[in-house]
Amino acid sequence: MDGTGGVGGAATAARGTSATSDFEYELPPGRIARYPVPRRADSRLLVLSRSTGAIRHRRFRDLPGLMDARDLLVVNDTQVFPARLRGRKPTGAAGEVLLLRPVPGDADSVWEALVRPGRKLKPGRLLYVAPELSVRILEVCADGRRIVRLEGGLGARDALERFGEMPLPPYLGREEEPSDRVRYQTVYARHEGSVAAPTAGLHFTDDLLGEIAARGVSRCEVTLHVGTATFRPVEVRDPADHTMEAERYTVPERAAREYRRCRERGGRVWAVGTTVVRTLESVAAGRDRIEAGRGATDLFIAPPFDFRAVDCLVTNFHLPRSTLLMLVAAFAGTGAVLRAYREAVAAGYRFYSYGDAMAVVP
């Protein structure tokens, strides 16, 4: 398979079945996790049953006990890169560039990017990051993005390693710290290309993965490079009018093989994160098979949705009105998910990227 997986965003949400305002909940600001817990697997884990709505409270290290030897754990092995560059315009005013992806054929020196302040960074303008690195604005795209070129003699990888910052979410309310280079990355990250972490995977440790494997649970990796589509808010009244930008994925042959074997032995497929759900549902060929290959998916999952590839979901607690919350609601039921969120708030769970986790089980 090579191309756009799934279907367009507007076609995946049935018109009139829900409104964006249905995906609201109250969250005290102090419940936003600004830092991760000292040990990844010590995060709390809310376990929600899809069939009964029952809720249990556990720790993430208890996850292996929810799994069966016939099951398959699917993770997203994308790697976040230090995509944020801060600098000064010739006037001395501050500016910022968030690199999204290199433009093919330009030796990684030309990139699609988001810039701030947008109205000031027009074609031809320069942002001085360091004596060895400047960013030149080449073009303004129709959607407001920029095409930029890295200048100064450094290769893109060296430039980003020396001067780039991890693109932490703005709701953390702080600058990057040295520990974020490790903690805003999964332990199994392998393929660089994301501007946000697949945060459900941040709770896993090598020891926990070893414990899961020791129970006989299989594991495979897919790659979906997280771009702006994942965290772009839904701003329209009807979710059916929201358009999801395509994000690049790779499903290796091994993943397709492990998926088929899991189905043959009657096991359940555990998706670690909404990015894995979108990838698997984009390449599902019925319930028993997924297609290996590379492509891009603009699949937007909101209630109602017929899930074919995923049985269990590990996820974090997401922002109101977000595509991620809508996906979880489609999987477990909007009412059940919002009740679980209210209970999590009352029980003192930590929310968002560095926060606690939820496991949705049958």
Side-chain angles (χ1 to χ4, degrees):
M1 176 180 279
D2 187 1
T4 300
V7 292
T12 60
R15 185 170 301 279
T17 58
S18 59
T20 300
S21 59
D22 294 338
F23 303 94
E24 291 274 15
Y25 64 92
E26 294 293 328
L27 182 70
R31 295 289 162 78
I32 298 174
R34 300 180 67 237
Y35 293 90
V37 293
R39 296 185 296 183
R40 294 177 187 256
D42 284 350
S43 297
R44 297 176 72 181
L45 179 69
L46 185 150
V47 183
L48 172 64
S49 168
R50 294 176 75 187
S51 58
T52 69
I55 293 172
R56 292 173 285 165
H57 299 285
R58 299 287 187 269
R59 291 286 173 180
F60 199 83
R61 59 176 174 267
D62 299 324
L63 181 67
L66 303 177
M67 308 181 81
D68 185 271
R70 297 171 297 173
D71 292 348
L72 172 67
L73 184 72
V74 187
V75 301
N76 181 5
D77 64 3
T78 188
Q79 187 174 51
V80 184
F81 69 100
R84 178 171 287 125
L85 295 170
R86 301 180 194 265
R88 296 279 174 182
K89 297 181 290 183
T91 61
E96 181 179 316
V97 174
L98 179 67
L99 300 179
L100 299 176
R101 63 179 65 86
V103 175
D106 284 288
D108 283 356
S109 63
V110 179
W111 290 69
E112 288 183 36
L114 300 176
V115 303
R116 191 169 61 178
R119 284 184 289 182
K120 299 293 185 181
L121 290 172
K122 300 177 180 179
R125 299 285 174 85
L126 272 175
L127 189 71
Y128 298 99
V129 178
E132 307 94 326
L133 177 64
S134 297
V135 180
R136 185 178 298 276
I137 312 300
L138 300 180
E139 180 184 339
V140 179
C141 303
D143 60 1
R145 297 186 185 197
R146 302 297 194 270
I147 303 299
V148 305
R149 182 169 63 227
L150 306 185
E151 299 181 349
L154 292 174
R157 181 172 295 277
D158 288 342
L160 294 177
E161 283 300 319
R162 292 181 61 181
F163 304 114
E165 301 175 18
M166 293 295 276
L168 297 180
Y171 52 72
L172 295 187
R174 63 177 177 84
E175 302 296 325
E176 177 198 32
E177 298 180 15
S179 62
D180 292 311
R181 293 284 174 129
V182 175
R183 295 303 303 272
Y184 196 61
Q185 202 82 266
T186 65
V187 297
Y188 45 74
R190 297 290 181 270
H191 301 292
E192 188 177 84
S194 281
V195 297
T199 55
L202 297 180
H203 309 281
F204 286 91
T205 64
D206 289 329
D207 287 344
L208 190 64
L209 290 169
E211 184 179 343
I212 290 170
R215 297 181 70 92
V217 177
S218 300
R219 186 177 109 218
C220 68
E221 297 78 27
V222 299
T223 307
L224 183 134
H225 291 313
V226 184
T228 59
T230 294
F231 57 80
R232 179 173 168 239
V234 178
E235 297 176 335
V236 292
R237 183 177 180 179
D238 188 337
D241 294 325
H242 179 76
T243 299
M244 198 89 168
E245 294 180 25
E247 293 175 314
R248 296 169 296 143
Y249 69 79
T250 300
V251 177
E253 290 287 350
R254 180 180 177 277
R257 184 169 60 250
E258 290 295 335
Y259 181 95
R260 185 180 66 252
R261 289 173 175 170
C262 173
R263 291 307 191 200
E264 288 172 348
R265 62 179 178 260
R268 301 170 300 178
V269 174
W270 289 73
V272 178
T274 59
T275 59
V276 172
V277 175
R278 291 181 59 232
T279 302
L280 294 181
E281 295 296 336
S282 294
V283 300
R287 179 171 169 80
D288 298 327
R289 185 167 60 91
I290 60 173
E291 297 279 0
R294 299 173 181 265
T297 180
D298 61 357
L299 180 62
F300 171 37
I301 298 176
F305 186 85
D306 181 21
F307 289 88
R308 300 187 293 173
V310 175
D311 303 298
C312 305
L313 170 63
V314 178
T315 187
N316 276 20
F317 293 94
H318 304 295
L319 276 74
R321 293 175 171 253
S322 64
T323 63
L324 300 90
L325 177 57
M326 292 179 186
L327 184 152
V328 179
F331 190 69
T334 302
V337 168
L338 292 179
R339 284 193 297 273
Y341 271 49
R342 288 193 293 270
E343 182 160 335
V345 170
Y349 278 67
R350 305 163 76 248
F351 276 60
Y352 304 162
S353 295
Y354 274 148
D356 294 315
M358 173 190 284
V360 183
V361 299

